[in-house]
Amino acid sequence: MDVIATAGHVDHGKSTLVRALTGMEPDRWEEERRRGLTIDLGFAWTTLPSGRRLAVVDVPGHERFVGNMLAGVGSVPAALVVVAADDGWSAQTAEHVAVLDALGVRHALLAVTKADLADPAPVLADVRERLAATSMGDVPGVAVSAATGAGVPDVVAALESLLAGLPAPDRDAPVRLWIDRAFPVKGAGTVVTGTLAAGRVAAGDRLQLSNREVGVRGVHSLGRPVERAEATARVALNLRGTAVEELSRGDALLTPSAFRDTAELDVTLARAPGDRLPAEVVVHVGSAAVGARLRLLEGTAVRLRLATPLPLRVGDRLLLRDPGARRVFGADVRDVDPPELRRRGAARRRAEELAARPVGAAGAAAELARRRFVRATDFAAMGWPVPEGATAVGPWLLAPGLVGELAAALPGIVARYRQLRPLEPGPPVAVARRALELPDDELVPAVVREPLALREGRVVVATAGLPAGVQQAVDRIRATLAADPFAAPDADQLRAAGLGPRELAAAVRDGQLVKIADGVYLAPGVAEQARARLAGVPAPFTLSQARSAWGTSRRVAVPLMEWLDARGVTERLPDDTRRLR
Ligand SMILES: Nc1nc2c(ncn2[C@@H]2O[C@H](COP(=O)(O)OP(=O)(O)OP(=O)(O)O)[C@@H](O)[C@H]2O)c(=O)[nH]1
Ligand SMILES: [Mg+2]
């Protein structure tokens, strides 16, 4: 299916032409038919001779209803520009064409209506020339009279070739359905309609509506129930779990997690603004219209602060409207999470940054470089693809080259830490993470390179030992223990050797001593040695038998026995005797 929207001055014959093309009445309201004036959006459809299905969004031409017109053309890839032969280029012709140009609509057909009332040739020529200067470029033109029917087949033929030339929509893209109507249906609950510009929807889907999810109970397209609808399409969705009062034009139904709301964004104007820009504008996108404060950064770069957040992505085309002056500007979304502008000159630097960077997805590498790291799902929801050379670590995406840069910085961080705390083998991971200015401990292991290693929650130098004085004292104790594995030095001996709690803890961390209990230190391997001695004692044995087997004092034997129990080397029996496990 294809979807187009009409455009043109009031009473120029848009609805009449839609009626002639589709046989359907686009003016839905009694008041519209009575006054012969379109007020809100109308919808009609037909099957063209080629079999192509076409839906038409018919917009009002009256200047008071430009807001409705904007909601109708916001998601539509092509336009049917209607100008009456007896009136020619008029105020809302100009305004609607400016809107299509600001939206960047590239595909259009010109229909000069009321050809029975005046010679259409001069109007065709004049309007085609004016359109040539817009995003629509060289537009085919057809003269038509709805009164006589002359030219209607030519309009059909021109539509066929226009639609054949439309780019294929991205059906794998996430869904962002801007709601243009919401109404209750007896027995079905709430129904919303919109133009599906990308992606697909099916009954049973769950879609996000601001902060919650709603279920799609059924899908209709062009008045008929369908299993699913694919872009481009007019769709009506029957929603589960939402009341019609909770919905209005401008709300969006989204693929969950694929979009994020933004209230502050940087855009670049599609054309340099001739005059001073207004400080307040209305931002139009899809069927939404939201007030915004505008700040010109420099050149065409503009920062917007929206009164209500919108689910926008980098690459979106917005229309900025100055309602007072009836001026519109096209604007490309460049960043939906822009940096704060605090210092003097920051606005100018930001504008330069945006000017230097390619528009759209090609700017992803520059954007990731600016951010250094970002959650991959956030980055995608902002509309960026994963740039080449980026590194994924868990949920994070790191800029190309950043892992190498951080890995190169880490040895210096570890060395400085150890200078201040010689007894510690290296900084805890959280300390290293802060020094590297990373957001998550999970990222630290990705930048640890030899000779650094991760050990017990710290970044350590794999080959580092203890400070020389401490090492000598530990060596002397190890020599004693080598001769007598259970002769733990007592408090006096430790103090005389200069080994306080911190030094001993460092020796334990370094794997040179094993702490059995406060003040009781033995050599690594003591568990095996203790077991070997006990193997020669008939089980079950008492603590005092074990103590004799080890040849040590109660001061060492009591905690050692418990330490062995705790490690499952020995088993304590109900009568307090032990046996080996
Ligand atoms: N003679 C003649 N009259 C036409 C033709 N097309 C439309 N009209 C008449 O022009 C008047 C306005 O037509 P509409 O189709 O309602 O115009 P519109 O552009 O939809 O107007 P809005 O939706 O209010 O902007 C109606 O009275 C139509 O009958 C035509 O080709 N020839
Ligand atoms: Mg109309």
Side-chain angles (χ1 to χ4, degrees):
M1 182 197 315
D2 292 292
V3 185
I4 63 167
T6 59
H9 194 71
V10 65
D11 260 0
H12 274 200
K14 297 180 292 298
S15 300
T16 305
L17 182 57
V18 171
R19 217 176 287 128
L21 290 169
T22 66
M24 287 178 74
E25 175 53 62
D27 284 337
R28 294 175 291 122
W29 299 1
E30 195 278 324
E31 184 193 354
E32 292 179 318
R33 294 184 208 172
R34 182 165 38 80
R35 292 171 64 187
L37 176 83
T38 306
I39 297 169
D40 201 359
L41 302 173
F43 305 97
W45 53 88
T46 188
T47 303
L48 297 174
S50 64
R52 208 176 254 280
R53 315 244 288 147
L54 171 67
V56 186
V57 179
D58 184 35
V59 309
H62 195 284
E63 60 174 328
R64 277 181 45 209
F65 309 128
V66 170
N68 291 339
M69 182 272 176
L70 279 158
V73 297
S75 303
V76 165
L80 175 60
V81 178
V82 172
V83 184
D86 62 341
D87 201 19
W89 183 266
S90 307
Q92 269 60 57
T93 320
E95 189 167 13
H96 287 194
V97 165
V99 162
L100 297 173
D101 182 41
L103 287 172
V105 173
R106 306 241 315 265
H107 307 273
L109 171 65
L110 167 64
V112 173
T113 53
K114 309 197 187 185
D116 53 298
L117 298 183
D119 178 9
V123 175
L124 270 170
D126 173 53
V127 177
R128 288 194 67 213
E129 193 182 322
R130 292 174 191 263
L131 292 177
T134 70
S135 61
M136 291 166 274
D138 190 17
V139 170
V142 182
V144 59
S145 164
T148 66
V152 174
D154 300 335
V155 176
V156 170
L159 281 172
E160 293 267 27
S161 66
L162 173 75
L163 302 178
L166 291 183
D170 183 355
R171 299 198 169 108
D172 296 320
V175 167
R176 179 175 53 180
L177 182 72
W178 297 100
I179 295 173
D180 48 37
R181 280 189 304 160
F183 49 90
V185 171
K186 239 197 170 80
T190 301
V191 171
V192 297
T193 68
T195 301
L196 186 66
R200 39 170 79 95
V201 262
D205 282 358
R206 298 197 63 76
L207 294 174
Q208 196 177 322
L209 175 71
S210 31
N211 304 331
R212 61 208 182 85
E213 280 192 14
V214 296
V216 177
R217 196 186 292 168
V219 183
H220 274 64
S221 191
L222 308 189
R224 268 184 252 158
V226 293
E227 212 164 286
R228 63 175 182 176
E230 290 187 331
T232 310
R234 284 294 306 169
V235 296
L237 305 183
N238 181 350
L239 299 181
R240 201 192 300 277
T242 179
V244 73
E245 301 77 48
E246 297 172 86
L247 295 158
S248 51
R249 177 172 287 175
D251 289 341
L253 287 168
L254 308 167
T255 298
S257 312
F259 294 86
R260 56 199 285 293
D261 275 343
T262 183
E264 195 171 34
L265 60 152
D266 285 348
V267 301
T268 45
L269 301 178
R271 295 182 201 282
D275 283 328
R276 261 178 69 92
L277 285 167
E280 306 267 349
V281 291
V282 180
V283 171
H284 294 265
V285 59
S287 60
V290 165
R293 287 200 61 78
L294 180 153
R295 174 179 174 191
L296 179 65
L297 301 177
E298 192 178 80
T300 58
V302 164
R303 174 151 301 183
L304 296 173
R305 192 183 292 273
L306 307 178
T308 312
L310 289 172
L312 298 179
R313 280 184 158 211
V314 168
D316 282 342
R317 171 58 74 90
L318 308 181
L319 182 140
L320 313 184
R321 184 157 183 267
D322 177 4
R326 309 202 79 111
R327 284 199 300 166
V328 293
F329 309 90
D332 290 305
V333 175
R334 305 295 307 280
D335 192 341
V336 291
D337 184 24
E340 273 184 62
L341 303 174
R342 278 202 230 100
R343 302 224 208 110
R344 282 193 55 169
R348 183 176 45 77
R349 277 194 301 278
R350 178 63 180 156
E352 283 164 3
E353 202 173 280
L354 291 175
R357 159 193 304 198
V359 180
E367 179 61 16
L368 187 54
R370 180 178 76 76
R371 292 173 179 277
R372 301 174 71 232
F373 47 78
V374 64
R375 283 188 183 275
T377 49
D378 279 352
F379 203 56
M382 291 174 199
W384 297 113
V386 174
E388 207 172 306
T391 318
V393 181
W396 297 94
L397 206 54
L398 275 64
L402 180 60
V403 168
E405 195 184 296
L406 295 171
L410 195 52
I413 291 167
V414 173
R416 276 192 296 284
Y417 187 91
R418 297 192 73 231
Q419 235 162 36
L420 296 171
R421 300 169 191 78
L423 288 171
E424 293 187 31
V429 166
V431 172
R433 188 254 303 159
R434 275 195 295 277
L436 293 168
E437 296 176 16
L438 287 172
D440 188 344
D441 287 358
E442 221 182 303
L443 291 171
V444 173
V447 302
V448 172
R449 300 266 185 281
E450 278 193 352
L452 298 183
L454 276 178
R455 196 186 299 149
E456 289 164 15
R458 288 171 186 266
V459 183
V460 302
V461 182
T463 53
L466 298 169
V470 177
Q471 189 59 60
Q472 278 164 20
V474 171
D475 285 347
R476 277 196 294 277
I477 289 171
R478 291 286 301 267
T480 314
L481 290 172
D484 183 355
F486 307 99
D490 64 20
D492 288 340
Q493 288 168 314
L494 290 172
R495 202 176 311 117
L499 296 175
R502 280 154 44 87
E503 287 77 10
L504 287 163
V508 169
R509 262 200 311 271
D510 204 41
Q512 301 199 44
L513 290 176
V514 175
K515 183 177 180 178
I516 305 300
D518 278 342
V520 181
Y521 293 85
L522 295 172
V526 69
E528 291 70 38
Q529 286 165 315
R531 171 195 279 280
R533 296 270 185 100
L534 292 174
V537 183
F541 46 83
T542 63
L543 173 66
S544 133
Q545 286 171 310
R547 184 179 64 75
S548 319
W550 294 331
T552 187
S553 63
R554 280 187 66 83
R555 180 183 73 86
V556 175
V558 171
L560 179 59
M561 195 77 247
E562 283 170 12
W563 187 83
L564 292 169
D565 288 344
R567 267 154 197 74
V569 176
T570 50
E571 182 184 5
R572 183 178 190 156
L573 302 173
D575 64 353
D576 246 14
T577 59
R578 262 89 170 176
R579 64 169 176 231
L580 289 176
R581 274 194 195 257

